[in-house]
Amino acid sequence: MNSRQITRRVGKSGVVTSAVGLGTWAIGGWMWGGTDEAESIAAIQASIDAGVSLIDTAPAYGLGRSEEIVGKAIKGRRDRAVIATKCGLNWHSKKGNHFFDQDGKPVNRYLGADGIAHEVEQSLRRLGTDYIDLYITHWQDPTTPIAETMEALERLKSAGKIRAIGASNLNTAELQQYVGAGQLDAIQERYSMLDREIEQTLLPIARQHQVAALSYSSLALGLLSGAIDPAREFSGDDQRKSNPRFSQANRRKVAVLKHALAPVAEVHQASMAQIVIAWTLAQPGITFALCGARSAAQARDNARAGEISLSAAELAAVDAAVAVHLVAIDA
């Protein structure tokens, strides 16, 4: 691993990985206007070669497509990758609660022991590996007691199929149940300069129980990257096409913020995206920042953020700029 990359431990587990992680939702194509496999593989491999060992994926990203692409990309690099994938959104049974339809298939939230046992084998096959470093419940299933889910995950851990346990998209009551039912090593939640609610809800509980926190949408679906021109148009099934956050007015606000952050960026010879990611990693309770990339260039740019440490004065300057320029951004 690149020695300049900040590394951190996943909760109480023995898993240590890069603080910056590669999120592969977009690589699955679904809700992102399709995917280019060769370019996606190049992005993953560029991340690993730049010292970003944490690669986050899920079966639901393209109904297995993202996991398959990750599997191809890590071939020959498995020992340099820390793979996080998920369970609980499945299309192989009718158990649990219907959540959404994808490609004409109903996808249910289900975290029963039988569902988890089936899903882990499918993920291992698609990823081309015999173990998963961090296995995360993707969305919570109200039809299955959390204690049953944790028992199933602990069995997988004892069997050596997973190394650490995580949970995503939780409320505080569910998090309390998880930490009461076994060793929860991580939570994965939406967090960015625009999404800070968990600072008051989940993060205090996580810190109390030594549970790591992975932020997803750290760049707010790319809005905070500073790379999306106000005039850009989104096509196909790209979710940003109808997202009010991506209005031209909001993109203009981000462009002004980019200018305000320029002095900090210049000190570190960094892009706006790199400063935003470094800021995210400096927030109390945030252990890892997941950032999407669909090209090798984007992957290398994100990786560079894992080498930046912002001073207290720089963090204060960024906070002040955010308070002025990101007000009234649509949710």
Side-chain angles (χ1 to χ4, degrees), residues 6 8 19 190-200 203-204 206-207 211-215 218 224 274-289 308-320 322:
I6 299 168
R8 294 173 176 173
R190 186 172 78 157
Y191 181 85
S192 74
M193 289 176 171
L194 295 174
D195 302 289
R196 303 181 66 171
E197 296 84 0
I198 65 170
E199 291 178 352
Q200 307 301 321
L203 289 184
R207 293 170 72 184
V211 175
L214 291 75
S215 67
S218 306
L224 296 175
Q274 290 164 349
I275 296 301
V276 172
I277 296 166
W279 174 92
T280 303
L281 289 171
Q283 301 311 299
I286 298 296
T287 322
F288 305 97
I308 297 172
S309 181
L310 299 177
S311 69
E314 288 170 335
L315 288 168
V318 173
D319 285 334
V322 168

Side-chain angles (χ1 to χ4, degrees), residues 130-169:
D130 56 2
Y131 69 96
I132 292 162
D133 296 284
L134 174 60
Y135 203 42
I136 303 166
T137 57
H138 200 159
W139 286 85
Q140 302 312 305
D141 164 26
T143 72
T144 303
I146 285 173
E148 177 185 331
T149 298
M150 279 296 283
E151 185 179 349
L153 294 170
E154 293 280 10
R155 280 198 297 269
L156 293 181
K157 192 173 175 182
S158 297
K161 293 188 177 182
I162 66 174
R163 298 177 64 202
I165 296 169
S168 186
N169 300 302

Side-chain angles (χ1 to χ4, degrees), residues 214-255:
L214 291 75
S215 67
Y216 71 76
S217 288
S218 306
L219 293 171
L221 303 178
L223 179 62
L224 296 175
S225 69
I228 299 178
D229 187 272
R232 177 175 167 182
E233 295 185 3
F234 300 101
S235 60
D237 72 344
D238 193 319
Q239 61 186 301
R240 295 171 293 183
K241 183 169 60 175
S242 58
N243 189 328
R245 274 198 175 168
F246 285 83
S247 68
Q248 288 190 344
N250 285 343
R251 282 184 264 171
R252 282 193 289 269
K253 289 180 182 179
V254 172

